[in-house]
Amino acid sequence: MRTSFLVSSVLAVLAPALAIADSLHVYPRSLADEHPGQLSKVITSNSLCSNGVITDANSTGKFEVVNGIRTYIAYPRGKKSKNAILYLSDIFGVDLINNQLLADSLARAGYLVAVPDLFDGDAVPTDFMGNPTFNLTEWRIRHPPEAIDAIVTSSISALRGEQFGVEKLGATGYCFGGKYVTRFLAPGKGLDAGFTAHPSQVVAEEYQAVTKPLSIAFGALDSITPAQRIATEAIFQTNNLTYQTALYAGAEHGFAVRTDLSIPQKKFAQESAYFQAVRFFDAWVKV
C-alpha cells in the first residue's frame, strides 16, 4: 500500500511535465536530429565487416517472404533455434545496413532473428537523415499503428508456427520499433520479453499494459526528459513488472543503431546497449 501511495504521489507531481507531450517518449518532429553513423566492431566482430566500412556486402542474413512480408532473416549457427528475436526497426527500415548487421550480431548470440519490412518498401530514405524538410507527419499517416500491428502479428504467428517452430520469442525495437515491442508485451500478444533503445511515441497506457519482462536503453541526449523516464519506471514499479532501464551519458537518439564511434561515450553507449539486450534475452528468452 505504501509503495502504491508513493508511486501515485510521484506521478501526481510529474503530471504537469507529462502533460506537455502526447506520449511519454516523444518522437522527433523532424529528421534534423537523425544522423548516419556506425556500428562498433565489438558488435560486428564476427561479421564480414572487418574494415569498418559498412556496405550491403557485409551482412550475412538473407531476405525471405514470411507470411507475405519481405523479411530479413539472420540464422544462428546450425540454422535451427527454439529461441527467436523479432527485430522491429527504426524509420529507416530493414534495408538500412546497420539494422541488418545488428540482426546478424543477435543471431550470433544464439537467436533466430527476423526483421520484417514494417513499411512495405516505404521506409524513410537515408538521404534525409539530418534533413528537417522531410514531411514526417505525412509519412506517419501512411503507416498507422493498425498497419504496423498487423505486420507484427503476422510475423509472430509465422515465427511460432510450423515454418520456424519457435518456443520462446523476444522482440527488440529501436526508435519507431520500440513502441510496437511495448504494445506486444501485453497479455496474449505473443512475446515473452522485450528490449527497446531510444523508443518513441510510447504512451502511458501501453506501458501500463505490459506484463512481460522489458529492458530499455535511454540516451541522455535524446528528447525524453528525466520526468518522463521517472514516470515510466513508476508505472513498472506500481505493476511489479520485471524490468531494467539504463541511461547512457552522451548518447543521442538512434545511438544503439548508428552513432559516432570516434566519441568514447557514444561508442561505450552503443556497445553497452547491445550487451544489455543480449543479457536480458539470455535471461528471459533462451530455452
Side-chain angles (χ1 to χ4, degrees), residues 86 170-174 177-178 181 185 193-198 213-217 244 248 256 272-278 280-281:
L86 180 63
T172 185
Y174 302 90
V181 170
L185 290 173
F195 167 83
T196 69
H198 32 83
L214 174 60
S215 177
I216 306 175
Q244 172 193 28
Y248 295 104
S272 297
Y274 169 76
F275 291 116
Q276 178 183 339
V278 171
F280 202 77
F281 289 133

Coordinates of all heavy atoms in Angstrom, one line a residue, residues 86 170-174 177-178 181 185 193-198 213-217 244 248 256 272-278 280-281:
L86 N 12.3 -11.0 -32.7 CA 11.7 -10.2 -33.7 C 12.2 -8.8 -33.6 O 12.1 -8.2 -32.5 CB 10.1 -10.2 -33.5 CG 9.3 -9.4 -34.5 CD1 9.4 -10.0 -35.9 CD2 7.8 -9.4 -34.0
G170 N 11.4 -13.2 -28.1 CA 11.6 -11.9 -27.6 C 11.5 -10.9 -28.8 O 11.4 -11.3 -30.0
A171 N 11.5 -9.7 -28.5 CA 11.5 -8.6 -29.5 C 12.4 -7.5 -29.1 O 12.4 -7.1 -27.9 CB 10.1 -8.1 -29.8
T172 N 13.1 -6.9 -30.1 CA 13.9 -5.8 -29.9 C 13.4 -4.6 -30.8 O 13.1 -4.9 -32.0 CB 15.4 -6.1 -30.1 OG1 16.2 -4.9 -29.7 CG2 15.7 -6.4 -31.5
G173 N 13.3 -3.4 -30.3 CA 12.8 -2.3 -31.1 C 13.6 -1.1 -30.9 O 14.0 -0.7 -29.7
Y174 N 13.9 -0.4 -32.0 CA 14.7 0.8 -31.9 C 13.9 2.0 -32.5 O 13.3 1.9 -33.5 CB 16.0 0.6 -32.8 CG 16.8 -0.6 -32.3 CD1 16.6 -1.9 -32.8 CD2 17.7 -0.4 -31.3 CE1 17.3 -3.0 -32.3 CE2 18.4 -1.5 -30.8 CZ 18.2 -2.8 -31.3 OH 18.9 -3.9 -30.8
G177 N 10.4 1.3 -33.7 CA 10.0 -0.1 -33.4 C 9.8 -0.3 -31.9 O 9.1 -1.3 -31.5
G178 N 10.4 0.6 -31.1 CA 10.2 0.4 -29.6 C 8.8 0.5 -29.2 O 8.4 -0.2 -28.2
V181 N 7.2 -3.1 -29.8 CA 7.7 -4.0 -28.8 C 6.9 -3.9 -27.5 O 6.3 -4.9 -27.0 CB 9.2 -3.9 -28.5 CG1 9.6 -4.7 -27.3 CG2 10.0 -4.2 -29.7
L185 N 4.0 -6.6 -25.6 CA 4.3 -7.3 -24.3 C 3.1 -7.3 -23.4 O 3.2 -7.7 -22.3 CB 5.4 -6.5 -23.7 CG 6.8 -6.6 -24.3 CD1 7.8 -5.7 -23.7 CD2 7.3 -8.1 -24.3
A193 N 9.4 -11.5 -23.9 CA 10.3 -10.4 -23.3 C 10.6 -9.4 -24.4 O 10.5 -9.7 -25.6 CB 11.5 -11.0 -22.7
G194 N 11.0 -8.2 -24.0 CA 11.4 -7.2 -25.0 C 12.5 -6.3 -24.5 O 12.8 -6.2 -23.3
F195 N 13.2 -5.8 -25.5 CA 14.2 -4.8 -25.3 C 13.9 -3.6 -26.2 O 13.6 -3.8 -27.4 CB 15.6 -5.3 -25.6 CG 16.7 -4.2 -25.6 CD1 17.3 -3.7 -24.5 CD2 17.1 -3.7 -26.9 CE1 18.2 -2.7 -24.6 CE2 18.1 -2.7 -27.0 CZ 18.6 -2.2 -25.8
T196 N 14.1 -2.4 -25.8 CA 14.0 -1.2 -26.7 C 15.1 -0.2 -26.4 O 15.6 -0.1 -25.2 CB 12.6 -0.5 -26.5 OG1 12.6 0.2 -25.2 CG2 11.4 -1.4 -26.6
A197 N 15.5 0.5 -27.4 CA 16.5 1.5 -27.3 C 15.9 2.8 -27.9 O 15.4 2.8 -29.0 CB 17.8 1.1 -27.9
H198 N 16.1 3.9 -27.1 CA 15.5 5.2 -27.5 C 14.2 5.1 -28.2 O 13.9 5.5 -29.3 CB 16.5 6.0 -28.4 CG 17.3 5.1 -29.3 ND1 16.9 4.6 -30.5 CD2 18.6 4.7 -29.2 CE1 17.9 3.9 -31.1 NE2 18.9 3.9 -30.3
P213 N 8.7 -9.2 -19.2 CA 9.9 -8.5 -18.9 C 10.3 -7.5 -20.0 O 10.2 -7.9 -21.2 CB 11.0 -9.6 -18.7 CG 10.2 -10.8 -18.3 CD 8.9 -10.7 -19.0
L214 N 10.8 -6.4 -19.6 CA 11.1 -5.3 -20.5 C 12.4 -4.6 -20.1 O 12.5 -4.2 -18.9 CB 10.0 -4.3 -20.7 CG 10.2 -3.0 -21.5 CD1 10.6 -3.4 -22.9 CD2 9.0 -2.1 -21.5
S215 N 13.3 -4.4 -21.0 CA 14.5 -3.6 -20.8 C 14.6 -2.4 -21.7 O 14.3 -2.6 -22.9 CB 15.8 -4.5 -21.0 OG 17.0 -3.8 -20.8
I216 N 15.0 -1.3 -21.2 CA 15.0 -0.1 -22.0 C 16.4 0.6 -21.9 O 16.9 0.8 -20.8 CB 13.9 0.9 -21.6 CG1 12.5 0.3 -21.6 CG2 13.9 2.1 -22.6 CD1 11.4 1.2 -21.1
A217 N 16.9 1.0 -23.0 CA 18.2 1.8 -23.1 C 17.9 3.2 -23.5 O 17.4 3.5 -24.6 CB 19.2 1.2 -24.0
Q244 N 14.2 -3.5 -16.6 CA 15.6 -2.9 -16.4 C 15.6 -1.6 -17.3 O 15.1 -1.6 -18.4 CB 16.6 -3.9 -17.0 CG 18.0 -3.3 -17.1 CD 18.9 -4.2 -17.9 OE1 18.5 -4.9 -18.8 NE2 20.2 -4.1 -17.6
Y248 N 22.4 6.2 -20.7 CA 23.8 6.4 -21.2 C 24.1 7.8 -21.5 O 23.5 8.5 -22.3 CB 24.0 5.5 -22.5 CG 23.8 4.1 -22.2 CD1 22.6 3.4 -22.6 CD2 24.8 3.3 -21.6 CE1 22.5 2.0 -22.3 CE2 24.7 2.0 -21.3 CZ 23.5 1.3 -21.7 OH 23.4 0.0 -21.4
A256 N 21.9 3.4 -30.5 CA 22.1 1.9 -30.4 C 22.3 1.3 -31.8 O 22.8 0.2 -31.9 CB 21.0 1.2 -29.7
S272 N 27.3 -1.1 -25.0 CA 26.7 -1.5 -23.7 C 25.2 -1.8 -24.0 O 24.6 -2.7 -23.4 CB 26.8 -0.4 -22.7 OG 28.1 -0.2 -22.3
A273 N 24.5 -1.0 -24.9 CA 23.1 -1.3 -25.2 C 22.9 -2.6 -25.8 O 22.0 -3.4 -25.6 CB 22.6 -0.2 -26.1
Y274 N 23.9 -3.0 -26.7 CA 23.8 -4.3 -27.3 C 24.0 -5.4 -26.3 O 23.2 -6.4 -26.3 CB 25.0 -4.4 -28.4 CG 25.1 -5.8 -28.9 CD1 24.2 -6.4 -29.8 CD2 26.2 -6.6 -28.4 CE1 24.4 -7.7 -30.2 CE2 26.3 -7.9 -28.9 CZ 25.4 -8.5 -29.8 OH 25.6 -9.8 -30.2
F275 N 24.9 -5.3 -25.4 CA 25.1 -6.3 -24.4 C 24.0 -6.3 -23.4 O 23.6 -7.4 -22.8 CB 26.5 -6.2 -23.7 CG 27.6 -6.5 -24.6 CD1 28.6 -5.5 -24.9 CD2 27.8 -7.8 -25.1 CE1 29.6 -5.8 -25.8 CE2 28.8 -8.1 -26.0 CZ 29.8 -7.1 -26.3
Q276 N 23.4 -5.2 -23.1 CA 22.2 -5.1 -22.3 C 21.1 -5.9 -22.9 O 20.4 -6.7 -22.2 CB 21.8 -3.6 -22.2 CG 20.5 -3.4 -21.4 CD 20.0 -2.0 -21.3 OE1 20.8 -1.0 -21.6 NE2 18.8 -1.7 -21.1
A277 N 20.9 -5.8 -24.2 CA 19.8 -6.6 -24.9 C 20.1 -8.1 -24.8 O 19.2 -8.9 -24.5 CB 19.7 -6.1 -26.3
V278 N 21.3 -8.5 -25.1 CA 21.7 -9.9 -25.2 C 21.5 -10.5 -23.8 O 21.0 -11.6 -23.6 CB 23.1 -10.1 -25.7 CG1 23.5 -11.5 -25.6 CG2 23.1 -9.7 -27.2
F280 N 19.7 -9.6 -21.4 CA 18.3 -9.6 -21.0 C 17.5 -10.8 -21.7 O 16.8 -11.5 -21.1 CB 17.6 -8.3 -21.3 CG 16.3 -8.0 -20.5 CD1 16.4 -7.6 -19.2 CD2 15.1 -8.2 -21.1 CE1 15.2 -7.4 -18.4 CE2 13.9 -8.0 -20.4 CZ 14.0 -7.6 -19.0
F281 N 17.8 -11.0 -23.0 CA 17.2 -12.1 -23.7 C 17.7 -13.4 -23.2 O 17.0 -14.4 -23.1 CB 17.4 -11.9 -25.2 CG 16.7 -10.8 -25.9 CD1 17.3 -9.9 -26.7 CD2 15.3 -10.7 -25.6 CE1 16.6 -8.9 -27.3 CE2 14.6 -9.6 -26.2 CZ 15.2 -8.7 -27.0

